Amino acid sequence: MSLPRFLKTTRCFVGTTKSLLSKRGQLCSYRATRKMSSRQADHLERTASVYRQEAVFSARVCAITNESNTVKKVQLEIPHPDFSFRAGQWVDLFIAGVEKVGGFSVCSSPALLQRDGIIELAVKYTKHPPAHWVHTECTVGSGVSLRVGGDFCFDPSLCDPRMDLLLVAGGVGINPLYSILTHTADLLRQVHGYQPGHTHLCYSAKNTRELLFKNNIIEVCEEFPDKFSCSFHVTQQDFEMEQNLQPYTTSGRISQEVLRHHVDPESTLCYLCGPPPMTESVSRHLQSLGLSEDRILFEKWW
């Protein structure tokens, strides 16, 4: 069976002026290996060969909230009408006074940008200067600059075939997948336009406190019970679980048996984002279930 047009891999590199990604309605996907030596490479080094836009846009922090004990969600207002991104992409984050450039996946839907001129980033605390700045110095009103990049994204056009989506996330790997999930929900709310098939999210974290966006995810599943489903998987839960999460949550890692119920080799497209061991394991499970490599889309961090 030949692959649908929008599953063909498109690679666009820094400095490319004409790209298939510039075509409206293109669904972009890729499998990227970002190699790192014993010295941890920074974001620009890891993504030197990955597509990014040329334009850099100014933005202003308009809200900061705690998404978990270790993750802050930052809302950025971008007033320029030419700024755009596709669900699943990341941004280069330039911060005045911080030498290193940050790289953070956008976790919001493109519809939020179109409606309110805002994007959202969920940043986990680390000592890396950009993340450290977000957690220790960033305030409402802070100014930053952004440049969009990445080929790992979901942006179907009306003529693309209907696909079922399987989203598999580990830890903060939920960020680009939550953008894809909310974008898919926005597509379903349209009267006209591309209509996705069924979307299922498998999301693994240490415990339910580390599950980002969990209540919003459940709300989407309840809004579209025939189109969305989710399962949370916790590996180190040592406290009583919230009652509303119990129907969706199981103990243990995401297994092949869990995935089996959501894989159809003919109609499933999987987006996968998480730590390398999880990515490798889930990818092997999916291929054992008959899903071809071309239908397993992920970024692989080394």
Side-chain angles (χ1 to χ4, degrees):
M1 176 182 175
S2 61
L3 287 174
R5 174 191 60 78
F6 64 83
L7 291 183
K8 308 293 184 179
T9 299
T10 301
R11 297 300 305 274
C12 308
F13 306 109
V14 176
T16 301
T17 56
K18 288 188 177 181
S19 160
L20 288 177
L21 288 179
S22 66
K23 292 183 178 180
R24 189 175 184 85
Q26 176 81 16
L27 182 149
C28 320
S29 62
Y30 85 130
R31 304 160 59 83
T33 300
R34 303 182 179 184
K35 295 183 179 178
M36 299 172 66
S37 64
S38 57
R39 178 188 68 81
Q40 184 176 3
D42 67 21
H43 167 67
L44 292 184
E45 291 174 321
R46 291 196 304 268
T47 61
S49 63
V50 180
Y51 164 80
R52 54 183 18 96
Q53 296 176 5
E54 293 183 359
V56 176
F57 297 88
S58 296
R60 184 186 70 88
V61 177
C62 57
I64 305 171
T65 56
N66 292 322
E67 193 63 34
S68 75
N69 291 336
T70 58
V71 175
K72 286 187 180 293
K73 184 172 72 175
V74 179
Q75 285 192 335
L76 297 170
E77 183 181 32
I78 305 144
H80 202 290
D82 291 340
F83 181 86
S84 65
F85 75 98
R86 292 175 168 85
Q89 288 186 300
W90 40 258
V91 294
D92 297 329
L93 184 68
F94 302 94
I95 305 163
V98 177
E99 182 179 355
K100 296 289 185 181
V101 176
F104 303 109
S105 293
V106 181
C107 61
S108 52
S109 168
L112 180 64
L113 175 66
Q114 295 166 7
R115 184 177 65 248
D116 299 330
I118 289 172
I119 67 168
E120 296 178 337
L121 310 177
V123 180
K124 186 171 184 177
Y125 176 80
T126 70
K127 292 184 178 180
H128 190 253
H132 191 264
W133 177 86
V134 168
H135 279 261
T136 61
E137 298 183 51
C138 179
T139 60
V140 173
S142 293
V144 296
S145 297
L146 304 173
R147 178 172 58 196
V148 172
D151 308 309
F152 180 82
C153 52
F154 178 66
D155 186 25
S157 66
L158 183 59
C159 63
D160 287 325
R162 180 174 298 187
M163 301 293 292
D164 295 325
L165 298 184
L166 173 60
L167 311 178
V168 184
V172 291
I174 187 63
N175 286 339
L177 302 187
Y178 183 65
S179 177
I180 291 172
L181 184 146
T182 53
H183 179 52
T184 304
D186 288 331
L187 291 174
L188 289 172
R189 295 183 184 108
Q190 296 179 164
V191 177
H192 304 290
Y194 180 84
Q195 291 293 295
H198 188 273
T199 298
H200 180 78
L201 170 68
C202 290
Y203 180 13
S204 176
K206 289 182 180 179
N207 55 59
T208 52
R209 290 174 186 157
E210 294 296 315
L211 290 168
L212 308 182
F213 320 117
K214 51 185 175 287
N215 292 325
N216 303 77
I217 291 167
I218 291 172
E219 286 177 5
V220 170
C221 292
E222 291 176 345
E223 181 182 357
F224 300 101
D226 296 329
K227 287 291 188 177
F228 282 91
S229 56
C230 68
S231 58
F232 301 138
H233 303 263
V234 293
T235 57
Q236 299 178 32
Q237 185 82 10
D238 57 2
F239 53 88
E240 186 174 355
M241 189 180 304
E242 301 94 316
Q243 187 172 356
N244 69 310
L245 298 180
Q246 291 178 7
Y248 302 93
T249 308
T250 59
S251 178
R253 302 184 185 279
I254 299 171
S255 67
Q256 181 171 317
E257 191 57 34
V258 168
L259 297 168
R260 183 186 307 277
H261 300 289
H262 308 286
V263 172
D264 182 335
E266 296 298 317
S267 64
T268 301
L269 174 62
C270 177
Y271 284 85
L272 170 59
C273 191
M278 189 208 82
T279 299
E280 294 285 355
S281 174
V282 170
S283 181
R284 286 195 301 269
H285 290 329
L286 293 170
Q287 290 180 61
S288 296
L289 294 170
L291 200 62
S292 67
E293 286 191 55
D294 290 328
R295 291 175 179 265
I296 306 169
L297 314 176
F298 59 87
E299 287 185 290
K300 187 158 130 184
W301 296 69
W302 292 94

